[in-house]
Amino acid sequence: MNDKALIVGMDQKNKEEQSAYIQRIKKLMKVEPTVVSGTIVESVYQVHTSYLEAMVAYSYMSYYTAGSTIFFDDITTSTEESLGYLKEEQLKLLQAIKQGQPTIAKDTLAIIFKNLRERERSLNALKAVCFDVINSVVRTLSELGVPLEESTFNQLVDFVTLDQLEHHLAQLISSTCEVVQERMANDNNRMVQEIIQYIQIHYKDYDLSLESIAEKYHISASYASKLIKEHYGLSFKQYVQDLRMAYVKEQLTMTTKPIKAIVHDVGYKDVANFTRKFKKEVGVTPGQYRKSN
């Protein structure tokens, strides 16, 4: 499956106009994709929340026919309908945990418990909702492979007040998000090491680009650029140029190969353009560098 994430700006506020907008986007594609959508947000800083909501809607794809449009705020369940329970907020909470987003998880948990305190329910209905939240969080931990200590589980199920349950859940969710973030950091470290090694092997290739690296490692070009910059301190372009410059310097001083051949070997077709880059970087032309060394 070829999944794509798309962020668009739109003025449409009602569902009909949003659906029509999405249909226009679909027509631009060669296939009829299934589209999932989070809620409209006012600020770019809220985009990640909408993305998490879209991921929740994504988990419902198997219940819809191919080519459907699934809106997060359309998702309802019998639990929500019968108990007045913010089920979609619970789904958002679980997605935040899975992606190691403690702030969103904390805020969503607070909304769930605010709803539990404010809405009138029978004692049995309230217990049902609480245990549903507990079960969903515990199940998510199991899916993530995060161990749950027996004492922690007992604290959850033996709660006396809503405040007590919210406190224990918040602690558990916070520690789980830390584990997820650490795993993601380790995965990023492994990936960036693989990318750096790949660049070191292929830096002389004329067609080496961020886009080709992104395609190889199934990430976006902007994310590949960010990984290299964060972990190596240089942009992709600068890192490749440094490797090429080092190779050219070595060839100029250790061989008698023509400068044009060296430049072509290192992935540049325009010798004059490379000569300008070399002089800007080193202070002299390649020919002058060879003579002085």
Side-chain angles (χ1 to χ4, degrees):
M1 183 179 294
N2 189 13
D3 299 328
K4 301 290 184 184
L6 183 65
I7 300 174
V8 298
M10 63 168 66
D11 296 325
Q12 294 84 348
K13 298 300 181 183
N14 63 62
K15 189 62 61 61
E16 291 74 18
E17 291 176 328
Q18 291 174 29
S19 297
Y21 191 95
I22 291 173
Q23 282 302 120
R24 290 199 295 273
I25 294 176
K26 285 184 176 183
K27 288 180 180 179
L28 298 176
M29 302 180 181
K30 295 180 180 179
V31 295
E32 179 72 8
T34 299
V35 175
V36 295
S37 175
T39 55
I40 302 298
V41 293
E42 298 295 333
S43 166
V44 67
Y45 300 107
Q46 298 172 298
V47 166
H48 196 75
T49 299
S50 183
Y51 173 76
L52 287 174
E53 293 172 349
M55 291 298 294
V56 171
Y58 181 87
S59 66
Y60 278 76
M61 282 183 63
S62 59
Y63 299 101
Y64 290 78
T65 58
S68 300
T69 299
I70 309 169
F71 291 95
F72 171 74
D73 53 12
D74 281 345
I75 299 171
T76 57
T77 65
S78 58
T79 306
E80 181 178 7
E81 292 167 354
S82 61
L83 300 179
Y85 172 34
L86 297 178
K87 190 68 174 181
E88 61 184 31
E89 293 299 331
Q90 179 188 323
L91 295 171
K92 188 191 298 186
L93 170 66
L94 302 184
Q95 284 296 330
I97 295 172
K98 290 176 181 178
Q99 296 199 13
Q101 298 288 337
T103 301
I104 295 177
K106 178 182 177 181
D107 292 344
T108 307
L109 185 69
I111 291 172
I112 290 173
F113 275 85
K114 183 174 183 291
N115 175 268
L116 292 179
R117 293 185 182 95
E118 292 179 349
R119 189 151 184 166
E120 291 186 6
R121 296 178 179 85
S122 68
L123 181 59
N124 286 336
L126 185 60
K127 285 183 177 179
V129 173
C130 288
F131 278 102
D132 188 51
V133 175
I134 293 170
N135 288 336
S136 64
V137 171
V138 170
R139 185 169 59 251
T140 298
L141 264 65
S142 178
E143 292 173 1
L144 292 171
V146 177
L148 177 64
E149 295 183 3
E150 184 177 352
S151 59
T152 302
F153 178 76
N154 289 337
Q155 283 181 332
L156 293 177
V157 298
D158 293 338
F159 73 95
V160 176
T161 66
L162 288 177
D163 287 348
Q164 188 181 55
L165 176 58
E166 182 179 7
H167 174 71
H168 291 317
L169 280 172
Q171 286 186 320
L172 177 60
I173 289 168
S174 177
S175 61
T176 302
C177 285
E178 288 181 6
V179 172
V180 173
Q181 288 178 343
E182 184 176 350
R183 288 179 180 176
M184 292 172 68
N186 290 336
D187 289 343
N188 285 345
N189 285 331
R190 282 193 294 270
M191 180 178 291
V192 78
Q193 291 304 320
E194 290 180 15
I195 291 174
I196 292 297
Q197 185 177 24
Y198 181 82
I199 294 173
Q200 290 172 343
I201 294 171
H202 296 278
Y203 71 90
K204 291 184 284 185
D205 295 353
Y206 173 74
D207 57 354
L208 179 68
S209 65
L210 270 176
E211 288 70 23
S212 64
I213 291 174
E215 183 176 355
K216 176 177 177 58
Y217 290 97
H218 308 291
I219 56 178
S220 68
S222 60
Y223 187 58
S225 176
K226 179 183 176 183
L227 283 178
I228 295 169
K229 182 73 174 179
E230 285 183 350
H231 291 263
Y232 209 76
L234 296 173
S235 67
F236 165 78
K237 183 177 180 180
Q238 185 62 53
Y239 181 54
V240 172
Q241 182 170 302
D242 285 357
L243 290 173
R244 289 176 171 177
M245 288 292 179
Y247 174 83
V248 170
K249 289 177 184 177
E250 179 184 280
Q251 293 295 302
L252 288 173
T253 56
M254 302 298 291
T255 75
T256 58
K257 186 183 294 186
I259 293 175
K260 183 177 181 180
I262 295 173
V263 174
H264 285 171
D265 285 347
V266 84
Y268 287 104
K269 291 186 177 181
D270 188 339
V271 178
N273 183 43
F274 176 78
T275 299
R276 286 192 293 272
K277 288 184 178 180
F278 190 92
K279 186 174 182 179
K280 182 178 180 181
E281 181 83 17
V282 183
V284 294
T285 66
Q288 293 168 334
Y289 183 86
R290 169 172 271 176
K291 287 180 181 179
S292 63
N293 286 275

